[in-house]
Amino acid sequence: MWPEEFAYLLEGSEEVALQIAPAASEGAPAGKAVSRKALKARVTQQDFEKIWPLAEARYRLGGALAGKAITLITNNPHYQSWHPSDGGSVESVSGSGHAYTTRYVIVHFLLDDVRETVEA
């Protein structure tokens, strides 16, 4: 299960379709692009560093996304176009008047339906 402590990271995420070009091997004709569902989220750099150890593993979801599973894309060569990227930054001022910057990262999670096997 996706850790409950990070459930807020998926709030406001956008469901997108990734168009993945097939790997072409020598002498083989190029195949059709494959479409995969994904969640696109903008998270703080600090939060991304916390979830980095969860990358490339599949986690089931609860709540509104129950019946689905996600996999954080980080450095898989098949999904290079959707590796974490710069999500900009926001300049803010704390209550004490100290200026600070919050950096963001755009991340993608592969989104799959969870299929349960049933024993007869």
Side-chain angles (χ1 to χ4, degrees):
M1 291 294 291
W2 180 251
E4 186 63 34
E5 66 191 271
F6 298 127
Y8 70 95
L9 296 175
L10 302 176
E11 293 173 9
S13 61
E14 173 186 3
E15 191 169 325
V16 296
L18 308 181
Q19 297 300 320
I20 301 134
S25 59
E26 289 186 38
K32 292 173 69 176
V34 176
S35 181
R36 291 286 310 263
K37 287 193 276 183
L39 290 179
K40 177 181 176 183
R42 183 176 184 232
V43 300
T44 65
Q45 176 71 39
Q46 184 178 10
D47 285 336
F48 177 68
E49 290 170 4
K50 290 177 186 174
I51 64 171
W52 175 263
L54 304 177
E56 307 297 338
R58 190 169 185 241
Y59 294 91
R60 292 174 186 235
L61 298 174
L65 294 171
K68 303 281 185 186
I70 58 173
T71 305
L72 175 62
I73 299 171
T74 55
N75 56 8
N76 185 318
H78 297 290
Y79 303 105
Q80 186 172 1
S81 298
W82 301 281
H83 287 180
S85 61
D86 182 23
S89 61
V90 174
E91 303 289 331
S92 302
V93 177
S94 68
S96 64
H98 183 280
Y100 65 95
T101 302
T102 304
R103 298 191 194 301
Y104 289 89
V105 177
I106 302 295
V107 297
H108 288 82
F109 298 87
L110 293 178
L111 181 64
D112 299 303
D113 291 323
V114 175
R115 302 195 194 286
E116 297 287 339
T117 56
V118 178
E119 293 185 29

